[in-house]
């Protein structure tokens, strides 16, 4: 089983602040996806990163894939209450099984 | 495209009864589906990988006789929680991966199971 560690596990910040969430593995990722999940709903895909060193931006969200493809980060600029949710990284292994990271629960306080 | 429908969205059942949860791919054929379990404010834990026309592959520690998975068609996988107990209460989510890489993985909206 692939083990993807996310940090921090919980994060509570004021609206307008910036934050970064990390996803780390002891193994090399083939590709990595970031999801956001709201309570009572399924995860929704935010981005897929494939190439080491890759940086992708989605409005106020910036995703970075480590050069060695063993880590990734999600940076949110000027967080808004609508950003509140559970952020999950996920990776597919060679057996085509799909594993999620330990998750980061973000609360943005108005 | 690539919509996954999960039903029911919530269910309450008595201890000892069985509950079936359906996961359907609405506009694509899903050769592989995945079933996850999630506790509050925790990540999704993969329970099993369901392959159309063959037996599901269960993750270590998941009781295959307790969580029966059937993937009889390219658009439907079912998870049956047999002889449910209160500790089986959880949020169950399915995901499907179509044959086209473009679609990636699409998730159902989840089923909240409460066993009383």
């Amino acid at each position: 089983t692939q083990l993807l560690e996310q940090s921090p596990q919980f994060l509570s910040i004021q609206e307008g602040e910036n934050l970064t969430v990390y996803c780390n593995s002891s193994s090399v990722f083939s590709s990595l996806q970031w999801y956001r999940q709201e309570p009572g709903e399924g995860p929704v895909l935010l981005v897929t990163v494939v190439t080491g060193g890759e940086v992708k931006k989605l409005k106020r969200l910036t995703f970075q894939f480590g050069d060695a493809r063993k880590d990734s980060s999600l940076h949110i600029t000027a967080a808004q209450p609508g950003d509140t949710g559970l952020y999950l990284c996920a990776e597919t292994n060679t057996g085509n099984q799909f594993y999620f990271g330990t998750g980061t629960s973000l609360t943005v306080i108005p | 495209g690539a919509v996954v429908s999960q039903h029911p969205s919530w269910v309450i059942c008595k201890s000892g009864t069985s509950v079936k949860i359906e996961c359907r791919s609405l506009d694509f054929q899903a050769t592989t589906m995945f079933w996850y379990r999630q506790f509050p404010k925790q990540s999704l834990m993969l329970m099993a990988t369901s392959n159309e026309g063959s037996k599901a592959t269960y993750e270590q520690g998941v009781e295959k006789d307790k969580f029966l998975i059937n993937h009889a068609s390219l658009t439907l996988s079912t998870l049956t929680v047999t002889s449910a107990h209160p500790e089986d209460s959880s949020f169950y989510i399915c995901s499907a991966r179509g044959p086209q890489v473009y679609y990636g993985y699409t998730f159902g909206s989840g089923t909240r199971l409460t066993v009383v």
Side-chain angles (χ1 to χ4, degrees):
Chain A
T1 301
Q2 187 77 307
L3 182 61
L4 306 180
E5 292 284 347
Q6 282 185 242
S7 61
Q9 185 178 0
F10 297 98
L11 187 57
S12 182
I13 63 172
Q14 294 288 332
E15 182 176 0
E17 292 184 352
N18 302 330
L19 67 115
T20 302
V21 176
Y22 300 93
C23 176
N24 294 282
S25 172
S26 56
S27 304
V28 174
F29 294 118
S30 53
S31 66
L32 185 132
Q33 299 184 330
W34 281 95
Y35 290 81
R36 177 170 165 267
Q37 184 187 23
E38 295 192 26
E41 299 182 9
V44 175
L45 177 66
L46 297 174
V47 77
T48 299
V49 287
V50 178
T51 305
E54 184 175 4
V55 176
K56 285 191 174 180
K57 290 192 174 184
L58 183 65
K59 296 183 179 178
R60 294 177 293 102
L61 277 62
T62 301
F63 303 87
Q64 189 160 5
F65 202 14
D67 292 339
R69 292 164 53 211
K70 295 176 68 175
D71 59 274
S72 181
S73 64
L74 158 59
H75 183 79
I76 301 179
T77 304
Q80 299 177 1
D83 295 328
T84 294
L86 181 66
Y87 289 82
L88 299 157
C89 61
E91 195 250 353
T92 307
N93 66 8
T94 53
N96 289 321
Q97 291 163 314
F98 196 65
Y99 294 100
F100 283 93
T102 49
T104 295
S105 180
L106 171 66
T107 301
V108 181
I109 304 168
Chain B
V3 176
V4 171
S5 173
Q6 194 171 334
H7 178 82
S9 56
W10 60 271
V11 58
I12 301 173
C13 70
K14 291 184 177 180
S15 288
T17 62
S18 296
V19 173
K20 180 184 285 187
I21 303 170
E22 294 186 347
C23 181
R24 293 181 183 273
S25 56
L26 297 186
D27 50 2
F28 68 103
Q29 293 182 332
T31 54
T32 304
M33 290 185 173
F34 304 89
W35 287 96
Y36 296 85
R37 184 173 182 177
Q38 185 179 34
F39 293 106
K41 295 214 171 180
Q42 293 187 22
S43 186
L44 284 73
M45 296 299 296
L46 178 64
M47 297 174 66
T49 302
S50 172
N51 298 295
E52 187 271 333
S54 64
K55 291 183 178 180
T57 303
Y58 290 81
E59 293 297 298
Q60 190 173 6
V62 178
E63 300 175 59
K64 58 181 67 177
D65 294 331
K66 175 119 181 110
F67 300 99
L68 300 179
I69 292 173
N70 185 285
H71 194 158
S73 76
L74 285 171
T75 60
L76 174 65
S77 176
T78 61
L79 167 67
T80 301
V81 182
T82 62
S83 187
H85 291 283
E87 56 265 32
D88 297 325
S89 297
S90 190
F91 193 55
Y92 293 88
I93 304 176
C94 70
S95 73
R97 187 185 66 163
Q100 298 182 19
V101 175
Y102 171 78
Y103 288 122
Y105 295 87
T106 304
F107 289 83
S109 54
T111 297
R112 171 72 59 193
L113 170 63
T114 302
V115 185
V116 298

